[in-house]
Amino acid sequence: MTDRLTIALAQINPTVGDLAGNAVRLRAARAAAAEGGADLVVAPELCISGYPPEDLVLKPDFVKGVAAVVGELAAETADGGPALLIGAPWRDDSQGGNGSGQPDDPEAATPLRGRVYNAALLLDGGQVQAVRYKHDLPNYGVFDEARVFAAGPLPGPISFRGVRLGVMVCEDMWTPDVTECLEESGAEILIVPNGSPFETDKLEERQQLAIQRITESGLPLIYVNQVGGQDELVFDGASFALDAGCRLRAHLPAFQEAVGLTHWERTDEGWTCRDGDLVEPLEGLDAIYSALMLGLRDYVGKSGFPGVVIGLSGGVDSALSAVIAADALGPEQVHCVMMPSPYTSDQSLEDAAALARLNGLRLDQIGIQPAMEAFEGMLRPVFDGLPADTTEENIQARARGIALMAISNKLGKMVLSTGNKSEMSVGYSTLYGDMCGGFNVLKDVYKTTVYRLCQWRNQQRPAAAQGFQGRTIPERIITRAPSAELKPDQTDQDSLPPYDELDDILACLIEREMSLAEIAKRGHALETVTRTWRMLENAEYKRRQAPPGVKITRRSFGRDRRYPIVNAFKSPL
């Protein structure tokens, strides 16, 4: 039995499916922890496979590959260095089944025997010393773990060098059952490996839940979260340790990899933690901007693109997208293209050029009038005698989309689309036009937040940013009335309510699922609320064809919100 224990919190940035690369990151974290005298290194949930692995878990070869890498890492712990507590999909052949909770296919050539669990594994002394399975599998929002994992039984503590560690995986902390079981069976320190995605105000929620579990059990708690971008999710790290009195003893930085040491001592009242590094958490616009940067950086980098190409319009959305891209990737990786039509104002041309100069971005100009004239001639036999309408406006947007995709094909850079959540909500966008692209960094950012982020970035430069210091977005871009400039004297407010009103209605409809009458009581005209709801419902088919983008709110478009495209339900007034 020991009276002192040094536990390292290793918040690493894994890549889903990169088993060897993820093991390299774990080895580096273990080496850093060893230099600090760590006894144990705690890594995030499913750090070997990357999180979330989704249907990769159903591939037998994938699960076998995970087991092989775990075996290699376990063997390395025979060197006398710190033990590893890691997360991995883990097959248990004693349980039966095929890893999905369903019976084996008797006709399968090589059925995967056993069930696959979301597991925490203790590697020490050259072996896998203990395995614990996640009990509470989340099946809401972006999570569908019940689809691929079997639920484990309520766990007991793991004995590590005379200390009983209560290991519970992520969601197991969000309800009291697992904590209660661990406390009743003699756990002394609670350890929670996590893959918890960023949302605004999520950090406070995590810490409050941790405090609830500590209050219920009287046990201190270590929370280790993944960091990095994976598809639409961003994991913010911000790992922490709390003592039995709910005092914060360690807090790791957000949105970056880190290894932090916590020093524990056994007392008459139980285990206590000495003060460690306490990094101030990021909040508000700082946290949102950092999430957008990290999500874009990892999506582009982990997908293997050399950079991005952006249609720069002179408007606020493309301006902010370009600045985030410069901060995330470096200005040299951002290629901007201005594509004027006969309706593009001189002001837009000037503002786009000014933004490119301020941020050191390449800017090319490709006029789309020849394409517009070509399409007019091509379609004249069919359109003869019909008045011009949004069809001609959409042709302009699609001509720009074709130009951007051609540049992407030729130069290899990914097209970054620039629509915001307000526009995507109500369908104020053009399929195969401004919606085309591989990723959309503003997909979950309401227009009012776009303006706030622009003002914030002009005053702040995030620590991880690779872009320039000082003003990056010309003030005129922020203050001018937004316009698609697809016809003379056009503004967004010709078709939409004012954005502050629209965004409040949309947040009530999307994040809160409020009724139309409830929203109207907030001071909105019922006619405006009803019209907004209809636009939101009618645009579902467009959103299904939109590129992925960074999730920052409680309910983003995509797996968070799964409405049918064909939908005849009419919301009661």
Side-chain angles (χ1 to χ4, degrees), residues 45-46 51 87-90 116-120 132-135 137 145 149-150 169:
E45 176 182 17
L46 294 179
Y51 185 80
W90 198 248
V116 178
Y117 294 86
N118 182 335
R132 293 295 183 269
Y133 299 137
K134 189 173 184 176
H135 173 70
L137 299 178
E145 288 190 32
F149 289 116
V169 181

mmCIF file with all atom_site columns, all heavy atoms in Angstrom, residues 45-46 51 87-90 116-120 132-135 137 145 149-150 169:
data_model
loop_
_atom_site.group_PDB
_atom_site.id
_atom_site.type_symbol
_atom_site.label_atom_id
_atom_site.label_alt_id
_atom_site.label_comp_id
_atom_site.label_asym_id
_atom_site.label_entity_id
_atom_site.label_seq_id
_atom_site.pdbx_PDB_ins_code
_atom_site.Cartn_x
_atom_site.Cartn_y
_atom_site.Cartn_z
_atom_site.occupancy
_atom_site.B_iso_or_equiv
_atom_site.pdbx_formal_charge
_atom_site.auth_seq_id
_atom_site.auth_comp_id
_atom_site.auth_asym_id
_atom_site.auth_atom_id
_atom_site.pdbx_PDB_model_num
ATOM 1   N N   . GLU A 1 45  ? -11.055 8.814  -23.136 1.00 0.00 ? 45  GLU A N   1
ATOM 2   C CA  . GLU A 1 45  ? -11.927 7.736  -23.607 1.00 0.00 ? 45  GLU A CA  1
ATOM 3   C C   . GLU A 1 45  ? -11.575 7.346  -25.045 1.00 0.00 ? 45  GLU A C   1
ATOM 4   O O   . GLU A 1 45  ? -11.368 8.210  -25.906 1.00 0.00 ? 45  GLU A O   1
ATOM 5   C CB  . GLU A 1 45  ? -13.378 8.235  -23.542 1.00 0.00 ? 45  GLU A CB  1
ATOM 6   C CG  . GLU A 1 45  ? -14.420 7.285  -24.093 1.00 0.00 ? 45  GLU A CG  1
ATOM 7   C CD  . GLU A 1 45  ? -15.824 7.872  -24.025 1.00 0.00 ? 45  GLU A CD  1
ATOM 8   O OE1 . GLU A 1 45  ? -15.958 9.102  -23.853 1.00 0.00 ? 45  GLU A OE1 1
ATOM 9   O OE2 . GLU A 1 45  ? -16.795 7.093  -24.139 1.00 0.00 ? 45  GLU A OE2 1
ATOM 10  N N   . LEU A 1 46  ? -11.465 6.043  -25.303 1.00 0.00 ? 46  LEU A N   1
ATOM 11  C CA  . LEU A 1 46  ? -11.242 5.492  -26.640 1.00 0.00 ? 46  LEU A CA  1
ATOM 12  C C   . LEU A 1 46  ? -10.070 6.172  -27.356 1.00 0.00 ? 46  LEU A C   1
ATOM 13  O O   . LEU A 1 46  ? -10.099 6.377  -28.568 1.00 0.00 ? 46  LEU A O   1
ATOM 14  C CB  . LEU A 1 46  ? -12.511 5.597  -27.492 1.00 0.00 ? 46  LEU A CB  1
ATOM 15  C CG  . LEU A 1 46  ? -13.699 4.753  -27.027 1.00 0.00 ? 46  LEU A CG  1
ATOM 16  C CD1 . LEU A 1 46  ? -14.895 4.967  -27.950 1.00 0.00 ? 46  LEU A CD1 1
ATOM 17  C CD2 . LEU A 1 46  ? -13.361 3.278  -26.955 1.00 0.00 ? 46  LEU A CD2 1
ATOM 18  N N   . TYR A 1 51  ? -12.059 9.029  -30.940 1.00 0.00 ? 51  TYR A N   1
ATOM 19  C CA  . TYR A 1 51  ? -13.475 9.087  -30.560 1.00 0.00 ? 51  TYR A CA  1
ATOM 20  C C   . TYR A 1 51  ? -14.184 10.202 -31.331 1.00 0.00 ? 51  TYR A C   1
ATOM 21  O O   . TYR A 1 51  ? -13.635 11.293 -31.468 1.00 0.00 ? 51  TYR A O   1
ATOM 22  C CB  . TYR A 1 51  ? -13.592 9.359  -29.052 1.00 0.00 ? 51  TYR A CB  1
ATOM 23  C CG  . TYR A 1 51  ? -15.009 9.318  -28.551 1.00 0.00 ? 51  TYR A CG  1
ATOM 24  C CD1 . TYR A 1 51  ? -15.629 8.105  -28.286 1.00 0.00 ? 51  TYR A CD1 1
ATOM 25  C CD2 . TYR A 1 51  ? -15.741 10.487 -28.376 1.00 0.00 ? 51  TYR A CD2 1
ATOM 26  C CE1 . TYR A 1 51  ? -16.937 8.058  -27.830 1.00 0.00 ? 51  TYR A CE1 1
ATOM 27  C CE2 . TYR A 1 51  ? -17.048 10.448 -27.930 1.00 0.00 ? 51  TYR A CE2 1
ATOM 28  C CZ  . TYR A 1 51  ? -17.638 9.233  -27.652 1.00 0.00 ? 51  TYR A CZ  1
ATOM 29  O OH  . TYR A 1 51  ? -18.941 9.190  -27.216 1.00 0.00 ? 51  TYR A OH  1
ATOM 30  N N   . GLY A 1 87  ? -8.254  4.255  -23.020 1.00 0.00 ? 87  GLY A N   1
ATOM 31  C CA  . GLY A 1 87  ? -9.563  3.854  -23.515 1.00 0.00 ? 87  GLY A CA  1
ATOM 32  C C   . GLY A 1 87  ? -9.444  3.194  -24.867 1.00 0.00 ? 87  GLY A C   1
ATOM 33  O O   . GLY A 1 87  ? -8.655  3.618  -25.722 1.00 0.00 ? 87  GLY A O   1
ATOM 34  N N   . ALA A 1 88  ? -10.242 2.143  -25.084 1.00 0.00 ? 88  ALA A N   1
ATOM 35  C CA  . ALA A 1 88  ? -10.200 1.414  -26.356 1.00 0.00 ? 88  ALA A CA  1
ATOM 36  C C   . ALA A 1 88  ? -11.471 0.591  -26.530 1.00 0.00 ? 88  ALA A C   1
ATOM 37  O O   . ALA A 1 88  ? -12.052 0.134  -25.546 1.00 0.00 ? 88  ALA A O   1
ATOM 38  C CB  . ALA A 1 88  ? -8.988  0.484  -26.407 1.00 0.00 ? 88  ALA A CB  1
ATOM 39  N N   . PRO A 1 89  ? -11.903 0.360  -27.787 1.00 0.00 ? 89  PRO A N   1
ATOM 40  C CA  . PRO A 1 89  ? -12.934 -0.658 -28.023 1.00 0.00 ? 89  PRO A CA  1
ATOM 41  C C   . PRO A 1 89  ? -12.328 -2.023 -27.675 1.00 0.00 ? 89  PRO A C   1
ATOM 42  O O   . PRO A 1 89  ? -11.247 -2.367 -28.158 1.00 0.00 ? 89  PRO A O   1
ATOM 43  C CB  . PRO A 1 89  ? -13.214 -0.539 -29.525 1.00 0.00 ? 89  PRO A CB  1
ATOM 44  C CG  . PRO A 1 89  ? -12.602 0.760  -29.960 1.00 0.00 ? 89  PRO A CG  1
ATOM 45  C CD  . PRO A 1 89  ? -11.452 0.999  -29.040 1.00 0.00 ? 89  PRO A CD  1
ATOM 46  N N   . TRP A 1 90  ? -13.026 -2.785 -26.860 1.00 0.00 ? 90  TRP A N   1
ATOM 47  C CA  . TRP A 1 90  ? -12.431 -4.019 -26.341 1.00 0.00 ? 90  TRP A CA  1
ATOM 48  C C   . TRP A 1 90  ? -13.421 -5.176 -26.453 1.00 0.00 ? 90  TRP A C   1
ATOM 49  O O   . TRP A 1 90  ? -14.530 -5.105 -25.958 1.00 0.00 ? 90  TRP A O   1
ATOM 50  C CB  . TRP A 1 90  ? -12.022 -3.829 -24.883 1.00 0.00 ? 90  TRP A CB  1
ATOM 51  C CG  . TRP A 1 90  ? -11.043 -4.843 -24.387 1.00 0.00 ? 90  TRP A CG  1
ATOM 52  C CD1 . TRP A 1 90  ? -11.264 -5.809 -23.461 1.00 0.00 ? 90  TRP A CD1 1
ATOM 53  C CD2 . TRP A 1 90  ? -9.677  -4.971 -24.786 1.00 0.00 ? 90  TRP A CD2 1
ATOM 54  N NE1 . TRP A 1 90  ? -10.115 -6.537 -23.253 1.00 0.00 ? 90  TRP A NE1 1
ATOM 55  C CE2 . TRP A 1 90  ? -9.124  -6.038 -24.058 1.00 0.00 ? 90  TRP A CE2 1
ATOM 56  C CE3 . TRP A 1 90  ? -8.870  -4.289 -25.702 1.00 0.00 ? 90  TRP A CE3 1
ATOM 57  C CZ2 . TRP A 1 90  ? -7.795  -6.448 -24.203 1.00 0.00 ? 90  TRP A CZ2 1
ATOM 58  C CZ3 . TRP A 1 90  ? -7.553  -4.689 -25.851 1.00 0.00 ? 90  TRP A CZ3 1
ATOM 59  C CH2 . TRP A 1 90  ? -7.025  -5.744 -25.123 1.00 0.00 ? 90  TRP A CH2 1
ATOM 60  N N   . VAL A 1 116 ? -18.286 -6.163 -28.095 1.00 0.00 ? 116 VAL A N   1
ATOM 61  C CA  . VAL A 1 116 ? -17.295 -5.100 -28.028 1.00 0.00 ? 116 VAL A CA  1
ATOM 62  C C   . VAL A 1 116 ? -17.807 -4.018 -27.075 1.00 0.00 ? 116 VAL A C   1
ATOM 63  O O   . VAL A 1 116 ? -18.954 -3.593 -27.164 1.00 0.00 ? 116 VAL A O   1
ATOM 64  C CB  . VAL A 1 116 ? -17.015 -4.506 -29.420 1.00 0.00 ? 116 VAL A CB  1
ATOM 65  C CG1 . VAL A 1 116 ? -16.007 -3.366 -29.320 1.00 0.00 ? 116 VAL A CG1 1
ATOM 66  C CG2 . VAL A 1 116 ? -16.470 -5.585 -30.348 1.00 0.00 ? 116 VAL A CG2 1
ATOM 67  N N   . TYR A 1 117 ? -16.922 -3.616 -26.176 1.00 0.00 ? 117 TYR A N   1
ATOM 68  C CA  . TYR A 1 117 ? -17.268 -2.651 -25.145 1.00 0.00 ? 117 TYR A CA  1
ATOM 69  C C   . TYR A 1 117 ? -16.414 -1.389 -25.300 1.00 0.00 ? 117 TYR A C   1
ATOM 70  O O   . TYR A 1 117 ? -15.294 -1.427 -25.799 1.00 0.00 ? 117 TYR A O   1
ATOM 71  C CB  . TYR A 1 117 ? -17.019 -3.241 -23.753 1.00 0.00 ? 117 TYR A CB  1
ATOM 72  C CG  . TYR A 1 117 ? -17.910 -4.408 -23.410 1.00 0.00 ? 117 TYR A CG  1
ATOM 73  C CD1 . TYR A 1 117 ? -17.567 -5.696 -23.793 1.00 0.00 ? 117 TYR A CD1 1
ATOM 74  C CD2 . TYR A 1 117 ? -19.093 -4.214 -22.706 1.00 0.00 ? 117 TYR A CD2 1
ATOM 75  C CE1 . TYR A 1 117 ? -18.384 -6.775 -23.483 1.00 0.00 ? 117 TYR A CE1 1
ATOM 76  C CE2 . TYR A 1 117 ? -19.922 -5.285 -22.387 1.00 0.00 ? 117 TYR A CE2 1
ATOM 77  C CZ  . TYR A 1 117 ? -19.564 -6.572 -22.783 1.00 0.00 ? 117 TYR A CZ  1
ATOM 78  O OH  . TYR A 1 117 ? -20.376 -7.625 -22.478 1.00 0.00 ? 117 TYR A OH  1
ATOM 79  N N   . ASN A 1 118 ? -16.958 -0.291 -24.823 1.00 0.00 ? 118 ASN A N   1
ATOM 80  C CA  . ASN A 1 118 ? -16.190 0.935  -24.648 1.00 0.00 ? 118 ASN A CA  1
ATOM 81  C C   . ASN A 1 118 ? -15.465 0.768  -23.312 1.00 0.00 ? 118 ASN A C   1
ATOM 82  O O   . ASN A 1 118 ? -16.064 0.873  -22.251 1.00 0.00 ? 118 ASN A O   1
ATOM 83  C CB  . ASN A 1 118 ? -17.134 2.133  -24.628 1.00 0.00 ? 118 ASN A CB  1
ATOM 84  C CG  . ASN A 1 118 ? -16.417 3.454  -24.509 1.00 0.00 ? 118 ASN A CG  1
ATOM 85  O OD1 . ASN A 1 118 ? -15.308 3.535  -24.007 1.00 0.00 ? 118 ASN A OD1 1
ATOM 86  N ND2 . ASN A 1 118 ? -17.062 4.519  -24.957 1.00 0.00 ? 118 ASN A ND2 1
ATOM 87  N N   . ALA A 1 119 ? -14.162 0.510  -23.379 1.00 0.00 ? 119 ALA A N   1
ATOM 88  C CA  . ALA A 1 119 ? -13.448 0.035  -22.199 1.00 0.00 ? 119 ALA A CA  1
ATOM 89  C C   . ALA A 1 119 ? -12.366 0.992  -21.747 1.00 0.00 ? 119 ALA A C   1
ATOM 90  O O   . ALA A 1 119 ? -11.776 1.737  -22.534 1.00 0.00 ? 119 ALA A O   1
ATOM 91  C CB  . ALA A 1 119 ? -12.831 -1.334 -22.485 1.00 0.00 ? 119 ALA A CB  1
ATOM 92  N N   . ALA A 1 120 ? -12.091 0.939  -20.448 1.00 0.00 ? 120 ALA A N   1
ATOM 93  C CA  . ALA A 1 120 ? -10.898 1.539  -19.852 1.00 0.00 ? 120 ALA A CA  1
ATOM 94  C C   . ALA A 1 120 ? -9.997  0.396  -19.431 1.00 0.00 ? 120 ALA A C   1
ATOM 95  O O   . ALA A 1 120 ? -10.439 -0.545 -18.753 1.00 0.00 ? 120 ALA A O   1
ATOM 96  C CB  . ALA A 1 120 ? -11.272 2.396  -18.653 1.00 0.00 ? 120 ALA A CB  1
ATOM 97  N N   . ARG A 1 132 ? -12.281 -2.267 -17.370 1.00 0.00 ? 132 ARG A N   1
ATOM 98  C CA  . ARG A 1 132 ? -13.606 -1.855 -16.924 1.00 0.00 ? 132 ARG A CA  1
ATOM 99  C C   . ARG A 1 132 ? -14.385 -1.330 -18.124 1.00 0.00 ? 132 ARG A C   1
ATOM 100 O O   . ARG A 1 132 ? -13.836 -0.641 -18.985 1.00 0.00 ? 132 ARG A O   1
ATOM 101 C CB  . ARG A 1 132 ? -13.515 -0.754 -15.850 1.00 0.00 ? 132 ARG A CB  1
ATOM 102 C CG  . ARG A 1 132 ? -12.902 -1.235 -14.544 1.00 0.00 ? 132 ARG A CG  1
ATOM 103 C CD  . ARG A 1 132 ? -13.780 -2.278 -13.862 1.00 0.00 ? 132 ARG A CD  1
ATOM 104 N NE  . ARG A 1 132 ? -13.238 -2.697 -12.573 1.00 0.00 ? 132 ARG A NE  1
ATOM 105 C CZ  . ARG A 1 132 ? -12.408 -3.715 -12.395 1.00 0.00 ? 132 ARG A CZ  1
ATOM 106 N NH1 . ARG A 1 132 ? -11.994 -4.428 -13.450 1.00 0.00 ? 132 ARG A NH1 1
ATOM 107 N NH2 . ARG A 1 132 ? -11.977 -4.027 -11.194 1.00 0.00 ? 132 ARG A NH2 1
ATOM 108 N N   . TYR A 1 133 ? -15.685 -1.657 -18.153 1.00 0.00 ? 133 TYR A N   1
ATOM 109 C CA  . TYR A 1 133 ? -16.516 -1.327 -19.303 1.00 0.00 ? 133 TYR A CA  1
ATOM 110 C C   . TYR A 1 133 ? -17.465 -0.176 -18.985 1.00 0.00 ? 133 TYR A C   1
ATOM 111 O O   . TYR A 1 133 ? -17.996 -0.076 -17.876 1.00 0.00 ? 133 TYR A O   1
ATOM 112 C CB  . TYR A 1 133 ? -17.342 -2.550 -19.728 1.00 0.00 ? 133 TYR A CB  1
ATOM 113 C CG  . TYR A 1 133 ? -16.511 -3.731 -20.143 1.00 0.00 ? 133 TYR A CG  1
ATOM 114 C CD1 . TYR A 1 133 ? -16.845 -5.027 -19.734 1.00 0.00 ? 133 TYR A CD1 1
ATOM 115 C CD2 . TYR A 1 133 ? -15.383 -3.568 -20.946 1.00 0.00 ? 133 TYR A CD2 1
ATOM 116 C CE1 . TYR A 1 133 ? -16.089 -6.105 -20.118 1.00 0.00 ? 133 TYR A CE1 1
ATOM 117 C CE2 . TYR A 1 133 ? -14.621 -4.654 -21.326 1.00 0.00 ? 133 TYR A CE2 1
ATOM 118 C CZ  . TYR A 1 133 ? -14.977 -5.922 -20.906 1.00 0.00 ? 133 TYR A CZ  1
ATOM 119 O OH  . TYR A 1 133 ? -14.210 -6.991 -21.292 1.00 0.00 ? 133 TYR A OH  1
ATOM 120 N N   . LYS A 1 134 ? -17.694 0.662  -19.979 1.00 0.00 ? 134 LYS A N   1
ATOM 121 C CA  . LYS A 1 134 ? -18.649 1.762  -19.830 1.00 0.00 ? 134 LYS A CA  1
ATOM 122 C C   . LYS A 1 134 ? -20.044 1.192  -19.621 1.00 0.00 ? 134 LYS A C   1
ATOM 123 O O   . LYS A 1 134 ? -20.512 0.353  -20.398 1.00 0.00 ? 134 LYS A O   1
ATOM 124 C CB  . LYS A 1 134 ? -18.594 2.651  -21.075 1.00 0.00 ? 134 LYS A CB  1
ATOM 125 C CG  . LYS A 1 134 ? -19.388 3.954  -20.977 1.00 0.00 ? 134 LYS A CG  1
ATOM 126 C CD  . LYS A 1 134 ? -19.105 4.813  -22.200 1.00 0.00 ? 134 LYS A CD  1
ATOM 127 C CE  . LYS A 1 134 ? -19.764 6.176  -22.143 1.00 0.00 ? 134 LYS A CE  1
ATOM 128 N NZ  . LYS A 1 134 ? -19.393 7.017  -23.320 1.00 0.00 ? 134 LYS A NZ  1
ATOM 129 N N   . HIS A 1 135 ? -20.703 1.674  -18.606 1.00 0.00 ? 135 HIS A N   1
ATOM 130 C CA  . HIS A 1 135 ? -22.024 1.140  -18.252 1.00 0.00 ? 135 HIS A CA  1
ATOM 131 C C   . HIS A 1 135 ? -23.155 1.906  -18.923 1.00 0.00 ? 135 HIS A C   1
ATOM 132 O O   . HIS A 1 135 ? -24.090 1.320  -19.467 1.00 0.00 ? 135 HIS A O   1
ATOM 133 C CB  . HIS A 1 135 ? -22.191 1.188  -16.732 1.00 0.00 ? 135 HIS A CB  1
ATOM 134 C CG  . HIS A 1 135 ? -23.562 0.813  -16.260 1.00 0.00 ? 135 HIS A CG  1
ATOM 135 N ND1 . HIS A 1 135 ? -24.064 -0.471 -16.327 1.00 0.00 ? 135 HIS A ND1 1
ATOM 136 C CD2 . HIS A 1 135 ? -24.564 1.579  -15.720 1.00 0.00 ? 135 HIS A CD2 1
ATOM 137 C CE1 . HIS A 1 135 ? -25.288 -0.502 -15.840 1.00 0.00 ? 135 HIS A CE1 1
ATOM 138 N NE2 . HIS A 1 135 ? -25.623 0.729  -15.471 1.00 0.00 ? 135 HIS A NE2 1
ATOM 139 N N   . LEU A 1 137 ? -24.338 3.954  -21.813 1.00 0.00 ? 137 LEU A N   1
ATOM 140 C CA  . LEU A 1 137 ? -24.007 4.307  -23.193 1.00 0.00 ? 137 LEU A CA  1
ATOM 141 C C   . LEU A 1 137 ? -24.926 5.427  -23.672 1.00 0.00 ? 137 LEU A C   1
ATOM 142 O O   . LEU A 1 137 ? -26.144 5.245  -23.754 1.00 0.00 ? 137 LEU A O   1
ATOM 143 C CB  . LEU A 1 137 ? -24.164 3.082  -24.103 1.00 0.00 ? 137 LEU A CB  1
ATOM 144 C CG  . LEU A 1 137 ? -23.281 1.882  -23.777 1.00 0.00 ? 137 LEU A CG  1
ATOM 145 C CD1 . LEU A 1 137 ? -23.584 0.726  -24.733 1.00 0.00 ? 137 LEU A CD1 1
ATOM 146 C CD2 . LEU A 1 137 ? -21.807 2.240  -23.845 1.00 0.00 ? 137 LEU A CD2 1
ATOM 147 N N   . GLU A 1 145 ? -23.816 5.384  -29.166 1.00 0.00 ? 145 GLU A N   1
ATOM 148 C CA  . GLU A 1 145 ? -22.929 4.295  -28.767 1.00 0.00 ? 145 GLU A CA  1
ATOM 149 C C   . GLU A 1 145 ? -23.654 2.969  -28.609 1.00 0.00 ? 145 GLU A C   1
ATOM 150 O O   . GLU A 1 145 ? -23.051 1.905  -28.759 1.00 0.00 ? 145 GLU A O   1
ATOM 151 C CB  . GLU A 1 145 ? -22.209 4.659  -27.474 1.00 0.00 ? 145 GLU A CB  1
ATOM 152 C CG  . GLU A 1 145 ? -21.156 5.728  -27.657 1.00 0.00 ? 145 GLU A CG  1
ATOM 153 C CD  . GLU A 1 145 ? -20.283 5.907  -26.432 1.00 0.00 ? 145 GLU A CD  1
ATOM 154 O OE1 . GLU A 1 145 ? -20.043 4.919  -25.714 1.00 0.00 ? 145 GLU A OE1 1
ATOM 155 O OE2 . GLU A 1 145 ? -19.836 7.035  -26.196 1.00 0.00 ? 145 GLU A OE2 1
ATOM 156 N N   . PHE A 1 149 ? -21.712 -0.542 -29.307 1.00 0.00 ? 149 PHE A N   1
ATOM 157 C CA  . PHE A 1 149 ? -21.116 -1.113 -28.107 1.00 0.00 ? 149 PHE A CA  1
ATOM 158 C C   . PHE A 1 149 ? -22.163 -1.854 -27.278 1.00 0.00 ? 149 PHE A C   1
ATOM 159 O O   . PHE A 1 149 ? -23.349 -1.519 -27.297 1.00 0.00 ? 149 PHE A O   1
ATOM 160 C CB  . PHE A 1 149 ? -20.502 -0.017 -27.229 1.00 0.00 ? 149 PHE A CB  1
ATOM 161 C CG  . PHE A 1 149 ? -19.264 0.607  -27.795 1.00 0.00 ? 149 PHE A CG  1
ATOM 162 C CD1 . PHE A 1 149 ? -19.260 1.955  -28.146 1.00 0.00 ? 149 PHE A CD1 1
ATOM 163 C CD2 . PHE A 1 149 ? -18.106 -0.124 -27.963 1.00 0.00 ? 149 PHE A CD2 1
ATOM 164 C CE1 . PHE A 1 149 ? -18.115 2.552  -28.658 1.00 0.00 ? 149 PHE A CE1 1
ATOM 165 C CE2 . PHE A 1 149 ? -16.953 0.460  -28.479 1.00 0.00 ? 149 PHE A CE2 1
ATOM 166 C CZ  . PHE A 1 149 ? -16.964 1.796  -28.830 1.00 0.00 ? 149 PHE A CZ  1
ATOM 167 N N   . ALA A 1 150 ? -21.693 -2.807 -26.530 1.00 0.00 ? 150 ALA A N   1
ATOM 168 C CA  . ALA A 1 150 ? -22.516 -3.444 -25.494 1.00 0.00 ? 150 ALA A CA  1
ATOM 169 C C   . ALA A 1 150 ? -22.303 -2.685 -24.192 1.00 0.00 ? 150 ALA A C   1
ATOM 170 O O   . ALA A 1 150 ? -21.203 -2.202 -23.906 1.00 0.00 ? 150 ALA A O   1
ATOM 171 C CB  . ALA A 1 150 ? -22.117 -4.902 -25.326 1.00 0.00 ? 150 ALA A CB  1
ATOM 172 N N   . VAL A 1 169 ? -16.335 5.671  -17.175 1.00 0.00 ? 169 VAL A N   1
ATOM 173 C CA  . VAL A 1 169 ? -16.047 6.230  -18.491 1.00 0.00 ? 169 VAL A CA  1
ATOM 174 C C   . VAL A 1 169 ? -17.119 7.254  -18.872 1.00 0.00 ? 169 VAL A C   1
ATOM 175 O O   . VAL A 1 169 ? -18.289 6.913  -19.020 1.00 0.00 ? 169 VAL A O   1
ATOM 176 C CB  . VAL A 1 169 ? -15.964 5.121  -19.552 1.00 0.00 ? 169 VAL A CB  1
ATOM 177 C CG1 . VAL A 1 169 ? -15.631 5.720  -20.924 1.00 0.00 ? 169 VAL A CG1 1
ATOM 178 C CG2 . VAL A 1 169 ? -14.917 4.084  -19.162 1.00 0.00 ? 169 VAL A CG2 1
#
